[in-house]
Amino acid sequence: MTREIEKAAGIPVVQIATIVPIMLTVGSNRIVPGVAIPHPVGDPAKGPEADKKVRRELLLKALEAMTTPISEQTLFERK
Amino acid sequence: MRLELHEVHVSDIQWGERTEVVDHVLRVNREEAAAALAGEDRFASVRLDLARPGESVRIIPVKDVVEPRVKLKGGRGYFPGFFAPPETAGEGVTLVLKGAAVVTCGPIVAFQEGFIDMSGTGADYTPFSKTNNLVLTVEPVEGLGKHAYEEALRLAGLKLALYLAEACREAKPDEIRVFEKGSITEENEKYPDLPRILYICMAITQGLLHDTFLYAADMKTVLPTLLHPNEVLDGALVSGNCVSACDKNTTYHHVNNPVVEALYRRHGKDLNFLGVVPTVEDVRLAGKERASSMNAALAKNLGAHGVIVTEEGYGNPDTDLCLNAKKCENLGIRTVVISDEAAGTDGASQSLADATPEMSAFVSSGNVNEMIEVPPMQTVLGHPEAIANLSGGAAESLRPDGSMFVELQAVIGSTCELGFSRIGCEWI
Amino acid sequence: MSKMTIRVVHYINQFYAGLGGEEAANALPESRKGAVGPGVQLQTIFGGKAEIVGTVICGDGTYGERTEEARAECTRLIEGFRPDLLVAGPAFNAGRYGFACGDICSTVGKVLGILTVTALYPENPGVELFAKNTVIVQASDSARGMKAALEGLARVGLKLASGEPLGPARLEGTISRGIRKNFFFEKNGAERAVEMLLDKIAGRPFRTEYEMPVFKRIPPAPPIKDLGKATIALVCSGGIVPKGNPDHIRVSSAETYGRYNISELYDLTPETYESIHGGYDRVWANQDPDVVLPVDVMRELEREGVIGKLYDWIYTTTGTGTAVAHAERFGREIGAQLKEAGVDGVILTST
């Protein structure tokens, strides 16, 4: 889906998901590894503050990916 | 380690005065069987029904299937950690009511549980149309959380299966099957020239309602470990899993694991069966990496020449399958995987969510999306409206006349990735 | 159908009809009673089980250059014989003949609703064009393989006409249409796995039951230059939908996606949104859908001016057991709509 949106729209699509190998396999170009399958952009078990902090970091990382020129599939990992 | 399975062949099931096997007929005292579950206060009601091969009966939604078993020697009860002491299974004598099964039924997650048809097209795809089933349907007490409901129903299924076997412990076995194998060192000395094979058995371990239990331990917190094959055949693994009807490994599947049986049959002839490594399908990539690395390291350290890896479920576990195959192959260990395919209702889609060139030996257990048409059944046990919410079903699946047009994935055990049935995909 | 002999029409080109080679390629469609050319041998192979009631002939040039006319006329001629089955070729590796065979089979199958079969070399361009619409028996690259091709056509044709389902392509000698279909094997999967493993270890040849697919790649889109002015859209395959799932998106094997307006929403709550995804534990997502579809923090970033605007619409579906073909279609449609709307970038979250 990621690949086809990018192809059809000609705009960068950043995928945030947990299982990086699948994203590589399906041809996503800008990849941000998420936290866990049931909560890719959050960590609710750690409480609301930590949860939101992780979400913010991941989204900022995704926005960074969106503004970065790349020539091949690239992983943008949250520190 | 020596395990004798004393199998009493059951070819019919009926209500009776007392619970016993007479001339291959399992008679069940309905009140007594229900009373065996009396200690469970999380059920508002308990209902028992019978479903026999060839009958016009549909059971829906099915949570688990359990084979009635009890230890006769070398232990007591069954399912160590649940209804037996949490000690090593696989030694001594176990009574098995072969051809009988307990089927548990209840709309725990409203979807993902599937159905069993006792006759018609649907019956061709599930092994549980050939078993004589005692069907347990329960209504939970009001306000019971799904997780508590799952646990209560899981335990009730095990308990009921144990009750049946316990009541029939004096029955004369029709067949005695012996599974005997020494320690790895002993077998290596006996068969120095045979290829050493390890079996890596992946299990769904993805959170509540998606879990598997090893000696009653929730496997998602368990690191890969080595089991003697007898342990698997004698109740060490229990399903707590509500997902993916077609390819979930029910508790029945675990104790009858066909890969374990196939490797055992050839042990000492064509191969040297090292053992079984039950392993996780983690929800985090790090967990997948860790488990697959440990699996490959275990195989290497045991001197395995080859491994068989079986999957449970589809989608993200495809990555676990790939990682297991890749890491073993990279250590020079030849690998074969068994997996089903999600090739779309038309069969034209790519079958896997993830793939790797090391997965060069692939056994297919069928396309979960292929549509089948099943006729109406005279009797529906459980909750027929559940089909609308089944994986692979849709609201329009259930027609006014009771027939259904559904994806194969709604049928329990239809594409079991232990390679339990003969189904598989081919190119046309 | 078993009582009566199966009525077959055979389609061939000008060369096999004996009209000549390239110089006769502009021959117009015509029909003759009974078998002609290779049809005579085909009739012998059929024995009494099927009868070639007529032969339809068309020049390859005619069919290739004036396709619509030729197609219509050949279809009319074939229909005149009231056949049960159309056999075309074999066309081996002949490009124009292969095209004609594939095209007439596809057309007749669709228009007349009768069964069709042709025989082509796997690299014949007709294979890629028509494999989905007709059954193609695998033929060699030249007429040296005539006998085998005719035998294949007869065998598969009889099977089709008698209503017997075709088996796997590798066993039928047909060219795969790229479709996976369930069959019951002789042995269970576990036995097959053990045998395959012993072969693999011993270095013996073995046949994998599914060859690893080659996945598609596309060149990365150029980056966004000015994020502060950019409109960013959220797309989600984690099954987050408005409470009650108004569009009945399936919990797995989704064949649709939803498009929902979030212009008034600043945070997803259990009261407004829920997860219907059938592939993961939904406890967390149902407590706070933002852990899958992060509207709350995107709104913050919008307010802070990090991004220009969060796009007013979200797109969402469930990505479990969803056929790749459907997912690709979702992507194409969503991509086209986002482009139309002037969206500059997308964050897609998956579970």
Side-chain angles (χ1 to χ4, degrees), chain B residues 28 79 87 103 115 121 128 145 219 242 263 268 287 330 361 427:
Chain B
V28 182
F79 301 113
E87 291 162 4
V103 176
F115 70 92
T121 319
F128 309 116
M219 266 185 70
C242 301
L263 288 170
N330 287 347
W427 292 109

Side-chain angles (χ1 to χ4, degrees), chain B residues 111-112 124-125 147 197 206-208 210 258-259 262-263 265-266 270-271 306-308 314 329 334-336 338 341 344-352 355-356 359-364 366-367 369-370 391-393 407-409 418-428, chain C residues 132 166-171 174-198 200-201 206-216 250-253 255 276-283 320-326 351:
Chain B
F111 51 82
Q112 299 167 339
D124 296 341
Y125 292 95
H147 305 139
I197 311 295
Q206 305 219 320
L208 297 162
H210 303 58
V259 175
L263 288 170
R265 264 195 295 282
R266 289 167 177 262
D270 306 314
L271 55 86
V307 302
I308 289 177
Y314 56 72
E329 284 280 343
R334 301 281 82 93
T335 306
V336 172
I338 308 179
E341 307 181 30
T345 50
D346 59 0
S349 255
Q350 191 173 270
S351 294
L352 300 172
T356 183
M359 224 148 73
S360 59
F362 184 104
V363 171
S364 165
N367 175 15
N369 302 122
E370 197 164 300
S391 276
E407 289 183 30
L408 189 54
Q409 62 174 317
L418 300 176
F420 199 85
S421 83
R422 297 184 293 112
I423 202 170
C425 273
E426 292 262 20
W427 292 109
I428 59 162
Chain C
K132 290 206 170 8
L166 288 185
R170 69 185 172 92
L171 300 178
T174 53
I175 293 175
S176 165
R177 292 180 280 156
I179 304 264
R180 302 291 283 167
K181 190 174 177 348
N182 290 333
F183 288 95
F184 287 101
F185 287 63
E186 194 187 321
K187 293 179 178 162
N188 75 20
E191 292 287 348
R192 304 202 308 272
V194 174
E195 283 173 15
M196 198 183 286
L197 181 59
L198 290 173
K200 195 175 186 185
I201 290 172
F206 63 91
R207 187 185 65 83
T208 184
E209 292 174 9
Y210 182 63
E211 305 78 7
M212 284 301 105
V214 180
F215 291 86
K216 294 174 195 164
R250 289 168 66 170
V251 300
S252 75
S253 308
E255 296 186 352
I276 53 151
H277 197 285
Y280 66 86
D281 186 347
R282 297 168 299 139
V283 170
T320 182
T322 304
V324 176
H326 284 303
T351 46

Side-chain angles (χ1 to χ4, degrees), chain B residues 305-327:
Chain B
H305 296 105
V307 302
I308 289 177
V309 188
T310 59
E311 185 174 0
E312 184 178 11
Y314 56 72
N316 81 72
D318 291 354
T319 292
D320 297 271
L321 191 70
C322 288
L323 290 172
N324 281 317
K326 184 178 184 162
K327 290 178 184 178

